[in-house]
């Protein structure tokens, strides 16, 4: 159970401040407010599913694709740790930063807001989110040769991804109410606190990658 909880916390804690559906909820509301309410709810569900699929694909396939091109997993963990730490630092120190590009969308996006483009990518899941998912996918349990530990780790990571998908759906489903309730200051506080946790997770990635690299090469 401890392995499941740890994998869940790492997955959810690393991805939530980058995906940050609460921050994007106002933009989702603006892009879809001219649509019927039922259609808005359908889009919220589709975006959540698409985002979950993108993150899952990045987490499962990303590390092994890089290994296929000759990049060792410990090196990938170190690089991923640098990326995650950098993203957390940007969120913590800059006035405005997120993985949702510059919030600029095509002029006709209002009239053709689609579940995948632009609502899922790049507004909800961008390159930063996908790179973090790849980094998480490269993180293995301490006993990487124990199938039970690997299975528990996978379950925890999967539950973390499902929680991210649910957070996207809830934030977009209640976008109007959510933005009015939290206000700009509430969103700001949430982002800053999440950013510090993200930096800690990035440093943990760096350390585990360094340990694995030195052990593999007998250093």
């Amino acid at each position: 159970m401890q392995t499941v909880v740890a994998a869940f916390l790492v997955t959810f804690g690393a991805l939530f401040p980058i995906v940050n559906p609460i921050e994007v909820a106002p933009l989702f509301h603006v892009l879809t407010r001219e649509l019927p309410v039922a259609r808005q709810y359908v889009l919220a569900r589709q975006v959540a599913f698409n985002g979950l699929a993108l993150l899952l694909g990045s987490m499962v396939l990303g590390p092994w694709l890089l290994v296929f091109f000759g990049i060792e997993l410990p090196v990938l963990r170190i690089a991923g740790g640098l990326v995650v730490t950098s993203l957390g630092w940007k969120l913590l120190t800059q006035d405005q930063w997120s993985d949702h590009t510059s919030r600029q969308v095509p002029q006709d996006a209002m009239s053709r807001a689609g579940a995948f483009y632009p609502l899922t990518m790049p507004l909800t899941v961008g390159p930063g989110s996908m790179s973090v998912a790849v980094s998480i996918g490269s993180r293995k349990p301490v006993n990487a040769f124990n199938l039970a530990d690997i299975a528990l780790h996978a379950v925890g990571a999967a539950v973390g991804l499902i929680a991210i998908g649910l957070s996207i759906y809830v934030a977009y489903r209640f976008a109007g109410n959510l933005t009015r309730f939290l206000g700009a200051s509430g969103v700001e506080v949430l982002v800053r606190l999440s950013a510090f946790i993200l930096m800690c997770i990035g440093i943990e990635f760096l350390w585990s990658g360094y340990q694995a690299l030195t052990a593999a090469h007998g250093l």
Side-chain angles (χ1 to χ4, degrees):
M1 181 59 68
Q2 184 178 358
T3 302
V4 174
V5 173
F8 167 80
L9 291 177
V10 167
T11 303
F12 186 81
L15 285 172
F16 184 80
I18 299 299
V19 177
N20 198 2
I22 295 176
E23 183 190 22
V24 193
L27 183 56
F28 176 86
H29 179 66
V30 169
L31 290 173
T32 61
R33 63 186 176 186
E34 301 299 330
L35 299 173
V37 175
R39 177 59 180 163
Q40 294 178 29
Y41 295 166
V42 170
L43 282 174
R45 185 170 62 251
Q46 290 176 337
V47 171
F49 179 80
N50 291 342
L52 176 62
L54 279 176
L55 293 174
L56 179 62
S58 300
M59 184 181 296
V60 174
L61 299 178
W64 301 110
L65 286 175
L66 292 177
V67 169
F68 175 79
F69 289 106
I71 302 174
E72 296 182 57
L73 277 177
V75 174
L76 176 59
R77 293 179 203 173
I78 294 173
L82 290 172
V83 171
V84 173
T85 305
S86 173
L87 294 177
W89 177 253
K90 287 181 179 180
L91 280 169
L92 189 64
T93 58
Q94 294 186 12
D95 291 336
Q96 291 189 10
W97 188 90
S98 73
D99 186 36
H100 312 125
T101 64
S102 60
R103 291 176 172 251
Q104 296 178 355
V105 295
Q107 293 293 326
D108 60 343
M110 294 276 202
S111 61
R112 60 180 183 85
F116 187 81
Y117 176 84
L119 295 179
T120 299
M121 192 173 184
L123 294 180
T124 303
V125 176
S129 306
M130 296 173 72
S131 64
V132 170
V134 172
S135 302
I136 296 171
S138 70
R139 185 178 182 272
K140 297 293 185 291
V142 175
N143 190 352
F145 297 100
N146 188 317
L147 292 179
D149 283 348
I150 293 175
L152 291 174
H153 183 85
V155 169
V159 174
L161 284 179
I162 292 172
I164 291 293
L166 288 175
S167 70
I168 294 172
Y169 174 72
V170 171
Y172 289 3
R173 169 67 171 73
F174 302 101
N177 297 333
L178 186 64
T179 52
R180 285 192 297 270
F181 174 75
L182 286 177
S185 59
V187 173
E188 180 76 8
V189 169
L190 183 63
V191 169
R192 301 302 179 184
L193 289 176
S194 300
F196 180 73
I197 297 174
L198 186 66
M199 285 185 60
C200 295
I201 291 173
I203 293 172
E204 194 276 336
F205 282 174
L206 278 168
W207 179 245
S208 65
Y210 171 77
Q211 287 182 313
L213 191 64
T214 53
H217 294 275
L219 300 178

